[in-house]
Amino acid sequence: MGHRLGRVLIAHEEIARRVRELGLSLSRDYDGKNPLLVGVLKGAVVFLADLVRATDIPLAADFIAVGSYGGTTRSSGVVKITADLSVSIEDRHVVVVEDVIDTGRTISYLKRNLQTRRPASLKVVALLDKSERREVEVALDYVGFTIPNEFVVGYGLDYQGFYRNLPYIAALEEDSAG
Ligand code: PRP
């Protein structure tokens, strides 16, 4: 069975407006702190790219990639780092940037892992919160939008590697016609 793009859940203008607000919040909360934004590959790249341009404070960015042991994060629930940060985060004000929080397992693992590296502070900004799906309780410090439990693509989120380049977020629907 194939898939096709369904309705637009969050239009580009709506995303842009919310990203500007999040950028203002970060600029205010991290003024004078030279924060390090940590993008979680690959989905968060698009969001991070726009978010940093919505801030007006000195900051740095780095990236981390996560995978899972034995299939998907969803089936195993066990997360591993497949590409680590390129810098030390000791005594840095760290903000993890995620595109979507689903079960919460990835961000929960990442927070625990990064905390052992003794950052000055550690917070999370997530564009999308699929809160209905949560299996692990985790505090999110900044959230763009809370969304229903639907498979969504666009603005960094993919289906089999595709659709990340859409400027909006849309539902992906099963196409019985193939
Ligand atoms: C997504 C998202 C989070 C994770 C959230 O990444 O970017 O890292 O899943 O799910 P969880 O809360 O259930 O752990 P994905 O595995 O789709 O990888 P990608 O960002 O490279 O597309």
Side-chain angles (χ1 to χ4, degrees):
M1 194 177 288
H3 289 79
R4 61 179 170 79
L5 271 184
R7 72 190 195 289
V8 174
L9 259 79
I10 312 175
H12 176 63
E13 296 72 25
E14 216 179 326
I15 297 172
R17 192 179 333 118
R18 191 72 187 108
V19 170
R20 274 198 300 275
E21 289 173 357
L22 292 170
L24 284 174
S25 297
L26 290 180
S27 299
R28 187 188 59 222
D29 298 350
Y30 287 90
D31 190 20
K33 292 185 171 174
N34 299 331
L36 176 69
L37 270 54
V38 171
V40 184
L41 296 172
K42 301 172 182 140
V45 166
V46 175
F47 175 41
L48 185 141
D50 283 344
L51 185 63
V52 293
R53 285 177 289 178
T55 65
D56 60 0
I57 54 167
L59 57 77
D62 200 3
F63 296 91
I64 195 164
V66 293
S68 55
Y69 293 101
T72 65
T73 312
R74 289 142 194 86
S75 59
S76 72
V78 184
V79 183
K80 66 178 172 181
I81 290 172
T82 55
D84 208 342
L85 297 172
S86 64
V87 296
S88 165
I89 62 168
E90 190 167 356
D91 295 329
R92 299 292 305 268
H93 291 282
V94 174
V95 182
V96 180
V97 180
E98 264 288 24
D99 53 349
V100 60
I101 309 296
D102 195 337
T103 64
R105 293 187 186 282
T106 304
I107 194 62
S108 168
Y109 169 81
L110 270 179
K111 283 183 83 172
R112 261 183 287 124
N113 181 289
L114 296 176
Q115 201 68 63
T116 65
R117 307 182 197 193
R118 302 172 189 279
S121 66
L122 180 61
K123 290 197 172 180
V124 177
V125 53
L127 180 68
L128 306 176
D129 180 6
K130 217 185 257 189
S131 55
E132 281 172 38
R133 296 258 307 165
R134 200 75 84 250
E135 292 174 13
V136 178
E137 207 54 52
V138 63
L140 306 177
D141 303 283
Y142 306 87
V143 171
F145 303 91
T146 299
I147 60 165
N149 181 18
E150 278 187 72
F151 198 99
V152 293
V153 295
Y155 200 74
L157 286 85
D158 74 307
Y159 172 66
Q160 296 186 350
F162 293 96
Y163 299 117
R164 294 193 199 274
N165 54 320
L166 296 177
Y168 51 85
I169 290 167
L172 193 73
E173 291 174 357
E174 286 186 357
D175 184 0
S176 50

